[in-house]
């Protein structure tokens, strides 16, 4: 549910040597079948954004060596991220610098008394871009990464049509991680914002995959989870009794909004029921995570090598230097990313005003020079979101955009490995 950005100056010679290839476009009949099967077999109910289909009619391709390189980098990033999260959980004096809501900071500050929330089947997604300097990462989606339908279902259908291989199947990998945690007879609650169609479809997709393995599933909102001494249960007409694992797709910063109806704090501290992912994931989800690196004992060599320079808006000349972009600390789906010259003038002015007024909730980040791919005369800006589940790379959620901003207008694209 996050966005990323990059700067290019048209399609360049570097595109010819980029480690990302492109397939030919599907025929009209092939793409109609692919789209229909993605909707009805994979459960992607919303294949449109405004008047445009969000499914690409071609695939991105990688050599096996490129996929192995990305997998290795993502796994290194995941190890560093989890180590930093553990340290940050014990360093509440750093939490105000991360732009977290006050209620969440107070809750996390109580982790020593109540105990850290139990975690299992940990999921992250790292967004990679090919640039003139090689691979760079724009962010980690460590809280509630999505894209499972597209990376598993849509991409698997495209792979069969093209005779290529999936980089990995994150849905299958997540199901295996859940089974390792609770067994094949476990009861799993899939906690999400039930009013949002795009969230509901992801949870139904995962629920069906879990049910194939024999697990009992219940789709709940956070207020329908009942806590007693750190153990989760439910008492709804469709899912009643103890819960063995909570699979959360409800953004952590939204949880305090449910305080009048349930104990949201157990998602952060004190839970004895395993959670994928615990609310403390927000500590490294924040775009302001790099601002505390100098204070940490955890070494972050891969992060330092791949993430563009990141500063507080107070410490960067983003007003006079177009080499900086602005990002909200807890932004998602590419919302409110400020790229002067890419977003509209009015939108940029609103973002700049917010960063001036509330700099503690924003970051300034260097714009990297991504290599645009040319596809039948069209410049495309790809983003490869590499999943890591329980420490192992598990697949790729691909997106492409016609402008150097990966947001809700970007198209979902299969990322396949050449055989």
């Amino acid at each position: 549910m996050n966005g990323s950005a990059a700067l290019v100056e048209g399609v360049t010679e570097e595109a010819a040597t980029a480690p990302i290839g492109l397939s030919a476009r599907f025929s009209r009949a092939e793409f109609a079948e692919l789209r229909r099967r993605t909707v009805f077999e994979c459960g992607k109910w919303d294949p449109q954004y405004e008047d445009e289909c969000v499914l690409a009619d071609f695939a991105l391709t990688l050599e096996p060596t490129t996929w192995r390189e990305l997998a290795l980098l993502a796994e290194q990033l995941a190890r560093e991220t989890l180590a930093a999260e553990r340290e940050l959980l014990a360093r509440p004096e750093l939490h105000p610098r991360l732009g977290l809501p006050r209620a969440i900071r107070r809750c996390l500050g109580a982790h020593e008394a109540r105990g850290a929330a139990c975690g299992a089947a940990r999921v992250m997604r790292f967004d990679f871009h090919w640039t003139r300097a090689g691979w760079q990462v724009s962010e980690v989606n460590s809280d509630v990464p999505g894209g499972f339908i597209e990376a598993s279902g849509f991409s698997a259908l495209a792979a069969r049509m093209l005779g290529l291989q999936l980089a990995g199947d994150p849905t299958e990998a997540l199901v295996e991680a859940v089974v390792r945690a609770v067994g094949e007879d476990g009861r799993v609650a899939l906690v999400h914002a039930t009013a949002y169609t795009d969230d509901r479809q992801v949870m139904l997709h995962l629920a069906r995959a879990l049910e194939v393995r024999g697990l009992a599933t219940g789709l709940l909102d956070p207020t329908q989870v009942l806590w007693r001494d750190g153990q989760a249960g439910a008492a709804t007409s469709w899912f009643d009794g103890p819960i063995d694992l909570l699979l959360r797709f409800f953004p952590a910063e939204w949880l305090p909004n449910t305080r009048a109806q349930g104990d949201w704090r157990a998602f952060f501290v004190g839970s004895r029921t395993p959670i994928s992912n615990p609310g403390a994931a927000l500590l490294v989800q924040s775009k302001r995570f790099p601002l505390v690196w100098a204070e940490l004992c955890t070494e972050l060599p891969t992060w330092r090598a791949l993430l563009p320079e990141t500063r507080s808006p107070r410490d960067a000349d983003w007003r006079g230097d177009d080499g900086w972009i602005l990002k909200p600390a807890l932004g998602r789906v590419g919302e409110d990313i400020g790229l002067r010259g890419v977003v509209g003038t009015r939108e940029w002015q609103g973002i700049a005003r917010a960063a001036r007024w509330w700099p503690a909730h924003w970051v300034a980040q260097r714009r990297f020079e991504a290599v645009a791919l040319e596809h039948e005369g069209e410049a495309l800006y790809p983003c490869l979101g590499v999943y890591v589940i329980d420490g192992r790379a598990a697949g790729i959620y691909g997106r492409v955009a016609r402008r150097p901003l990966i947001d809700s207008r970007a198209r979902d694209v299969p990322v396949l490995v050449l055989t």
Side-chain angles (χ1 to χ4, degrees):
M1 301 172 70
N2 293 279
S4 50
L7 173 70
V8 299
E9 297 175 2
V11 179
T12 65
E13 293 181 3
E14 287 91 339
T17 59
I20 307 173
L22 299 114
S23 75
R25 295 188 186 275
F26 294 108
S27 70
R28 182 173 295 182
E30 289 173 331
F31 185 63
E33 179 187 358
L34 178 60
R35 185 181 186 277
R36 181 173 58 252
R37 294 183 67 186
T38 300
V39 173
F40 290 104
E41 295 179 20
C42 305
K44 186 170 176 62
W45 302 332
D46 59 345
Q48 293 281 126
Y49 180 79
E50 296 178 345
D51 293 329
E52 189 167 349
C53 181
V54 298
L55 303 177
D57 59 353
F58 58 89
L60 302 179
T61 61
L62 303 175
E63 294 287 347
T65 53
T66 301
W67 166 229
R68 287 195 291 270
E69 178 187 10
L70 286 169
L72 178 61
L73 290 171
E75 289 172 1
Q76 291 171 343
L77 287 167
R79 286 193 292 271
E80 294 174 14
T81 302
L82 286 174
E85 181 185 300
R86 287 192 293 269
E87 182 178 352
L88 278 168
L89 188 56
R91 300 281 303 276
E93 76 277 8
L94 297 178
H95 297 178
R97 296 171 58 183
L98 296 172
L100 307 184
R102 185 175 301 172
I104 289 177
R105 298 201 307 267
R106 286 198 300 265
C107 178
L108 290 173
H111 91 279
E112 288 189 2
R114 297 187 59 180
C118 180
R122 186 60 189 272
V123 187
M124 299 184 190
R125 199 187 73 227
F126 298 91
D127 287 349
F128 284 85
H129 308 259
W130 180 251
T131 77
R132 293 179 180 177
W135 290 112
Q136 289 194 273
V137 169
S138 56
E139 62 195 27
V140 59
N141 299 272
S142 64
D143 186 43
V144 286
F148 288 92
I149 293 174
E150 297 80 6
S152 293
F154 173 51
S155 294
L157 293 172
R160 289 195 287 271
M161 293 177 73
L162 293 169
L164 300 177
Q165 294 181 348
L166 276 176
D169 186 333
T171 298
E172 180 181 350
L174 181 55
V175 169
E176 290 298 326
V178 171
V179 170
R180 286 194 300 270
V182 300
E184 292 190 346
D185 58 350
R187 292 168 50 82
V188 180
L190 296 97
V191 180
H192 61 294
T194 55
Y196 289 87
T197 299
D198 50 349
D199 292 12
R200 185 74 169 187
Q201 67 188 4
V202 174
M203 291 289 94
L204 277 172
H205 169 81
L206 293 175
R208 289 166 180 163
L210 290 165
E211 289 165 359
V212 168
R213 291 295 300 272
L215 291 98
T217 65
L219 281 77
L220 306 175
D221 71 41
T223 69
Q224 293 167 329
V225 178
L226 306 177
W227 295 95
R228 184 173 182 177
D229 297 328
Q231 296 285 357
T236 65
S237 59
W238 62 93
F239 195 66
D240 182 58
I243 294 170
D244 296 316
L245 184 140
L246 294 155
L247 204 163
R248 180 175 62 87
F249 199 66
F250 191 97
E253 71 271 23
W254 293 5
L255 284 166
N257 297 336
T258 68
R259 71 183 69 191
Q261 299 167 280
D263 186 10
W264 62 274
R265 297 169 299 174
F267 287 95
F268 290 86
V269 296
S271 171
R272 295 162 59 194
T273 300
I275 304 174
S276 172
N277 290 328
L282 204 62
L283 293 166
V284 289
Q285 169 81 27
S286 171
K287 308 305 183 295
R288 290 177 65 89
F289 169 46
L291 303 189
V292 301
W293 286 357
E295 310 293 328
L296 299 178
C297 296
T298 302
E299 295 184 358
L300 302 164
T302 315
W303 268 114
R304 293 180 184 278
L306 297 180
L307 186 75
E309 179 184 6
T310 305
R311 298 183 180 182
S312 166
R314 295 186 179 102
D315 301 326
D317 183 23
W318 54 269
R319 295 180 182 86
D321 183 354
D322 287 349
W324 294 96
I325 68 174
L326 295 170
K327 291 184 176 182
L330 299 179
R332 300 178 186 270
V333 204
E335 292 178 342
D336 295 328
I337 290 182
L339 290 87
R340 189 155 38 196
V342 175
V343 301
T345 300
R346 181 173 296 180
E347 184 178 359
W348 164 256
Q349 290 173 345
I351 291 168
R353 183 168 55 250
R356 288 195 308 271
W357 289 357
W358 301 286
H361 297 282
W362 291 79
V363 294
Q365 193 172 86
R366 286 286 184 187
R367 292 171 75 160
F368 50 72
E369 294 185 80
V371 177
L373 306 179
E374 184 175 4
H375 196 223
E376 300 180 5
E378 183 179 38
L380 299 172
Y381 303 82
C383 173
L384 308 185
V386 179
Y387 294 90
V388 178
I389 298 177
D390 275 354
R392 299 294 300 273
I396 301 177
Y397 173 33
R399 289 162 292 169
V400 292
R402 296 188 179 96
R403 62 177 188 163
L405 176 61
I406 306 298
D407 59 6
S408 53
R409 293 180 174 82
R411 285 175 287 173
D412 302 319
V413 62
V415 183
L416 307 177
V417 179
L418 299 169
T419 56

